[in-house]
Amino acid sequence: MTITTLSSRQFNQDASKAKKAAMVGPVFITDRGRPAHVLLTFAEYKQITGRRTKIADLLAMPGIEEIELEIPPLRDLAQPADFS
């Protein structure tokens, strides 16, 4: 993977060069020498964002229906409080 860095001016003057560079790796686009944007191919973007797991999927616990859970009956009954 090759990382390419272009200034905003270079990017504006030659967007096709940036797109070609994005085919082999991310392209950092700088504003005043500082990284401001990253250009990726759509496939790379989907690969990065596709790894995210939603909290609902984590909480769903696939396979939970196969676990047997036996809860014993409660034997200790509540007693009234003694305030004397």
Side-chain angles (χ1 to χ4, degrees):
M1 172 172 64
T2 303
I3 297 174
T4 305
T5 302
L6 298 174
S7 68
S8 291
R9 174 182 265 175
Q10 290 171 316
F11 176 75
N12 288 333
Q13 290 175 349
D14 199 354
S16 64
K17 177 183 174 182
K19 291 195 295 187
K20 287 176 188 171
M23 298 299 283
V24 293
V27 178
F28 294 170
I29 303 167
T30 62
D31 280 332
R32 298 189 175 126
R34 294 184 178 192
H37 305 279
V38 179
L39 179 66
L40 303 169
T41 61
F42 187 68
E44 184 68 21
Y45 170 77
K46 285 194 64 150
Q47 181 181 356
I48 291 170
T49 59
R51 291 187 202 152
R52 261 190 213 158
T53 305
K54 297 176 185 171
I55 193 165
D57 294 337
L58 294 172
L59 294 173
M61 297 176 64
I64 193 75
E65 58 277 352
E66 297 171 8
I67 298 174
E68 291 186 31
L69 177 65
E70 292 183 29
I71 301 174
L74 183 62
R75 296 174 200 250
D76 298 330
L77 299 176
Q79 299 293 322
D82 183 13
F83 294 111
S84 56

